[in-house]
Amino acid sequence: MNSQGQFEKKDHKKFKFVIFFGIFGPLIYFLADLYKFPLITYFPATGEFFLGWRSFSEESGPAMYWYGWILASAILSSIFSIFFTYWVSLRTKYLVFLSNLIWISIFCILPFLIHSLKFYWK
């Protein structure tokens, strides 16, 4: 922001990136969880990392997929956000649309998230 309280060009790019990351981050995390797409699988009992999804085995113990989902979400959200930051020209009328789109995407994903956590409430 400059001395007159106006945003500079580089601030608009940061703002666009944050808006798109806020849209794509939860969406990609949800899809990675739903379709079992972690980039890495971690077995804390043995301290091993594997690329992709690896199922439970007796010698390696239970797997932690959360790290892979976060990594997939961060990388893919960054790629999509950079792409849309440079390819979509946002004007004032689009900012209102994008801020509404964030809330709409949150409320659309919320029922599926609650459904995916239903085994905790047995």
Side-chain angles (χ1 to χ4, degrees):
M1 197 179 282
N2 61 16
S3 61
Q4 286 113 11
Q6 297 173 338
F7 287 105
E8 297 175 10
K9 273 259 195 234
K10 63 181 180 177
D11 293 332
H12 284 293
K13 284 187 178 182
K14 290 177 188 175
F15 182 69
K16 291 176 195 177
F17 180 83
V18 169
I19 291 288
F20 285 122
F21 196 89
I23 292 169
F24 289 118
L27 182 64
I28 292 173
Y29 180 84
F30 171 72
L31 293 173
D33 180 16
L34 183 68
Y35 293 111
K36 296 180 181 173
F37 181 67
L39 288 181
I40 59 168
T41 301
Y42 173 61
F43 291 94
T46 59
E48 296 176 318
F49 284 95
F50 294 99
L51 286 177
W53 187 80
R54 177 90 44 118
S55 64
F56 169 79
S57 65
E58 291 294 327
E59 62 270 356
S60 59
M64 292 180 66
Y65 303 110
W66 183 78
Y67 296 126
W69 294 330
I70 290 293
L71 190 60
S73 177
I75 291 172
L76 292 175
S77 297
S78 297
I79 291 170
F80 286 138
S81 298
I82 290 169
F83 174 77
F84 279 100
T85 297
Y86 287 108
W87 285 94
V88 175
S89 62
L90 293 177
R91 307 232 191 287
T92 308
K93 62 182 177 182
Y94 295 121
L95 294 178
V96 174
F97 170 73
L98 288 176
S99 64
N100 290 333
L101 189 60
I102 290 173
W103 286 106
I104 290 169
S105 64
I106 289 171
F107 285 118
C108 287
I109 290 173
L110 196 59
F112 297 107
L113 181 63
I114 290 170
H115 178 72
S116 71
L117 297 174
K118 70 179 179 182
F119 60 87
Y120 284 116
W121 294 306
K122 287 186 178 181

